[in-house]
Amino acid sequence: MLWIVLAVVLLLILAVAWVGVRGALAKGHLERAVADVDTLRSQLSGGDTSGAQGTAAKLEDEASAARSLTSDPIWATSEYVPFFGTNLRAVRQIAGIVDDVSSGAVAPVSGVVGELGSDSFAPKDGKVDLEPLKRAQAPVQQAATAVSKASKDAGAIDVSGTLSPVTSAVNQLRNALHSVEGQVDVANRVVQLAPAMLGADGDRRYLLLFQNNAELRAGGGIPGAVALLNVQDGGISLQEQRSGQSFGPYPEPVLPLDDATDGLYGDITARYMQDVTLTPRFDVSAELAREMWKRETGTQVDGVLAMDPVTLGYLLQATGPVSLPTGDTLTSDNAVRLLLNEAYARYPDPDVQDAFFASAASSVFQKVSSGGFGTKRFVAALTKASGEGRLRLWSADEGEERLIAGTSLAGELPTVSPETRQFGVYLNDGTGSKMDYYLEKTVSVGSSVCRQDGLPTSAVEVTITNTAPADAATSLPKYVTGGGSFGTEPGKIKTLIAIYAPKDAIFLGASQDGKAVGVQTAIDDGHPVAQLRTVLAPGESATFRVAFLGEAKNAHAGTEVVSTPGVEQTKTLPLRFDCTKPIPAG
């Protein structure tokens, strides 16, 4: 009996030693794998695709070794030992997930990463080579699927009884996968969309809305100019250009409007091209613009793209200055000032203004099509513009539109998740002028659980200021001030502010400068909306606060806000929240 006991003890000691040694080796491999991931990110962001391929191979070896060391029968048996087994199981799962990502995501993408350097997206002879993108579609889709599964698997690891170092490792893995999952998802959408949308399967036609932020619309700015883009096998040509004011007014809406859009923004949304972006829902704006273009030209476009002069300024940082037919030089420093302010003083005739804007857009477009600039900076400019809501895209193809949905290009209403509750602040000009060049906006949002039932109370605060010169009524051109033609005194700015909450929230109330104020309320596609209005003279400002009650299941989610992009980027601040006074009522 003694020999049996000794034998069992010896086996246990050997098992512990075996697991301990293999655990230490696995830890080393995992640490090196993490280092390889950091190196890989740096190489990819720096355009070192050759180095990235080598690092990907090393990562695959390290991850495979860690998985092998934690998958033998002795390790599996040890997972049932009280206390220690929970930790061993978590370590095995970590190693398996890292290996799954390495073999299922990194490995397939590393095979095509050499073709997907930033230079591969640069136009050559006026065309983008679509073949590398087409070859990357299957590997990138496989990677997106693998990372998504890995993220779910990491979320399922039981850390209720694990030691602090193991718990920390699991949390680090979850955070890393959550971040990577979003990046890979965007990359997959781009790779799946780009070839077809750039004409790989046949010619495409897109309508370009050039939005003017000096006269705000919820979706960005008034579509002052529109143009037809023709796309063929990676080549894009700018064709017919027209003024936005040449479309409408139509006697009836060109397409039916739902009650919320009609009630909040009026049927003019569907009767004037310049008003299609009164709604923040870009899919609605795009379909209306598409129908108007068809009525006037007989051409049915395949999609709609919107951008503003601030985006042009970002692009000029990549392309360098552009010479205009007028003799002006358009640069990243003067694009916004020249296009949204100085042009009105220089060219008082609206038709001449339209011609100037059209020539500027055409000149920048020709520079982009010719290539010969820093593609990495160009992509960064597009990414920045889309993140600020300045670049929008809609496709008439339902499959493509599903891939666009959920991205910053889609122009959708605020979303809600267990992690984030999103609010929207959308501004529409009511002056009938270009005075929004002088409008500044600061937005704050905050939330707290103030009720015993666990429902969160959230407040959105918006401050807008008229920064125009004191003598704006006489010193600024009539076309900029509006001249009082639409009921607002010259120099003043009339603004309508629509504040959107996540779906199923409940509107609680609103205030202006600390005093209760009446608002127009509505439900737009399930989102509660509070719309307010104000008229500000030069130097004046107004602060609005609107409060909503949310759902208990999202009580601990963070809050963020999306907003109409103006001439200047919106200042976003945290809101100091007081449960006793979520809505000041003076």
Side-chain angles (χ1 to χ4, degrees):
M1 180 64 69
L2 178 60
W3 289 107
I4 296 175
V5 172
L6 290 174
V8 170
V9 171
L10 180 59
L11 286 173
L12 288 174
I13 292 172
L14 290 174
V16 171
W18 176 269
V19 170
V21 170
R22 292 176 73 86
L25 293 172
K27 178 175 179 292
H29 285 296
L30 287 173
E31 289 174 343
R32 288 190 289 274
V34 170
D36 288 337
V37 169
D38 290 339
T39 301
L40 188 60
R41 285 181 175 177
S42 176
Q43 290 168 329
L44 290 174
S45 63
D48 182 8
T49 55
S50 177
Q53 288 175 308
T55 302
K58 286 176 55 184
L59 171 60
E60 192 172 2
D61 289 342
E62 298 289 358
S64 177
R67 182 173 209 158
S68 177
L69 286 165
T70 58
S71 300
D72 66 283
I74 295 178
W75 188 289
T77 302
S78 300
E79 290 182 6
Y80 292 96
V81 175
F83 179 68
F84 291 107
T86 302
N87 291 277
L88 295 175
R89 186 177 301 109
V91 171
R92 172 180 57 78
Q93 290 172 310
I94 291 172
I97 290 170
V98 172
D99 188 42
D100 287 342
V101 171
S102 175
S103 60
V106 176
V109 171
S110 67
V112 296
V113 72
E115 296 183 304
L116 294 177
S118 58
D119 289 342
S120 65
F121 296 98
K124 296 178 178 63
D125 299 323
K127 295 177 64 175
V128 175
D129 184 4
L130 301 179
E131 288 306 312
L133 283 169
K134 291 165 69 175
R135 286 191 289 270
Q137 286 180 321
V140 173
Q141 187 171 50
Q142 179 183 342
T145 301
V147 171
S148 178
K149 180 180 182 301
S151 185
K152 290 183 177 63
D153 290 343
I157 297 176
D158 181 10
V159 293
S160 58
T162 55
L163 294 169
S164 177
V166 176
T167 303
S168 176
V170 171
N171 289 333
Q172 289 178 20
L173 178 64
R174 288 172 175 170
N175 292 336
L177 287 172
H178 180 72
S179 173
V180 170
E181 184 177 14
Q183 296 169 351
V184 174
D185 178 63
V186 171
N188 181 48
R189 291 174 190 246
V190 170
V191 169
Q192 304 305 323
L193 279 169
M197 295 197 77
L198 289 174
D201 303 323
D203 293 2
R204 291 288 187 97
R205 292 184 178 89
Y206 299 100
L207 184 63
L208 172 63
L209 307 182
F210 194 65
Q211 300 191 91
N212 188 328
N213 314 91
E215 186 170 352
L216 287 175
R217 293 290 183 266
I222 189 170
V226 296
L228 182 67
L229 299 178
N230 188 62
V231 181
Q232 183 179 29
D233 194 28
I236 306 175
S237 58
L238 183 64
Q239 303 201 333
E240 185 176 358
Q241 299 183 63
R242 295 195 179 195
S243 167
Q245 65 183 347
S246 67
F247 297 80
Y250 300 96
E252 299 290 337
V254 297
L255 293 173
L257 294 176
D258 60 40
D259 291 341
T261 302
D262 192 5
L264 283 165
Y265 309 113
D267 70 354
I268 60 173
T269 309
R271 296 198 300 113
Y272 292 84
M273 177 69 81
Q274 292 178 312
D275 289 327
V276 297
T277 49
L278 282 169
T279 169
R281 296 165 60 183
F282 187 66
D283 59 334
V284 174
S285 302
E287 291 193 49
L288 293 171
R290 180 184 188 232
E291 178 62 23
M292 292 179 186
W293 182 266
K294 180 184 177 182
R295 290 195 179 198
E296 298 299 323
T297 69
T299 301
Q300 182 81 291
V301 297
D302 300 295
V304 179
L305 177 70
M307 64 186 297
D308 64 10
V310 180
T311 300
L312 282 185
Y314 294 161
L315 295 177
L316 287 166
Q317 293 177 0
T319 66
V322 171
S323 298
L324 304 183
T326 58
D328 295 288
T329 299
L330 199 64
T331 71
S332 60
D333 294 326
N334 72 6
V336 172
R337 184 177 69 253
L338 182 59
L339 294 175
L340 295 183
N341 188 252
E342 293 178 0
Y344 300 118
R346 188 185 302 182
Y347 308 112
D349 184 342
D351 291 334
V352 178
Q353 293 167 9
D354 291 339
F356 177 71
F357 297 145
S359 70
S362 178
S363 298
V364 173
F365 183 84
Q366 290 174 6
K367 183 69 176 282
V368 171
S369 298
S370 67
F373 52 82
T375 314
K376 185 178 178 181
R377 295 183 67 182
F378 182 77
V379 172
L382 292 177
T383 302
K384 182 177 182 180
S386 64
E388 293 178 358
R390 303 183 184 280
L391 192 64
R392 298 298 191 210
L393 177 64
W394 173 83
S395 174
D397 182 282
E398 292 184 0
E400 293 175 355
E401 182 63 9
R402 281 194 295 271
L403 286 172
I404 296 170
T407 70
S408 58
L409 292 172
E412 298 171 314
L413 295 181
T415 60
V416 62
S417 71
E419 292 79 30
T420 305
R421 280 177 294 145
Q422 199 175 66
F423 295 81
V425 176
Y426 305 110
L427 275 59
N428 277 304
D429 173 74
T431 319
S433 71
K434 300 298 182 288
M435 286 294 293
D436 287 329
Y437 181 82
Y438 299 99
L439 192 71
E440 285 189 355
K441 170 168 50 91
T442 300
V443 178
S444 305
V445 62
S447 181
S448 186
V449 177
C450 302
R451 297 159 49 111
Q452 291 184 349
D453 58 11
L455 300 180
T457 302
S458 302
V460 179
E461 192 170 276
V462 185
T463 299
I464 58 173
T465 304
N466 181 348
T467 66
D471 61 351
T474 55
S475 65
L476 297 179
K478 181 179 178 181
Y479 189 80
V480 173
T481 65
S485 299
F486 295 92
T488 302
E489 293 180 34
K492 293 185 177 181
I493 302 177
K494 181 179 180 179
T495 307
L496 285 78
I497 306 171
I499 299 179
Y500 281 62
K503 286 186 176 181
D504 299 321
I506 299 172
F507 170 71
L508 293 178
S511 66
Q512 178 178 350
D513 298 325
K515 298 180 179 180
V517 65
V519 299
Q520 177 187 3
T521 59
I523 301 294
D524 190 354
D525 194 30
H527 295 260
V529 186
Q531 183 162 251
L532 313 99
R533 65 183 62 204
T534 186
V535 178
L536 299 175
E540 289 185 340
S541 66
T543 297
F544 298 91
R545 179 178 284 203
V546 179
F548 299 93
L549 195 64
E551 295 184 287
K553 64 181 181 181
N554 301 316
H556 300 292
T559 54
E560 63 181 32
V561 65
V562 294
S563 183
T564 296
V567 174
E568 300 291 338
Q569 179 60 7
T570 301
K571 300 173 184 176
T572 304
L573 303 171
L575 179 65
R576 186 173 298 173
F577 197 90
D578 183 352
C579 280
T580 64
K581 296 180 180 180
I583 320 165

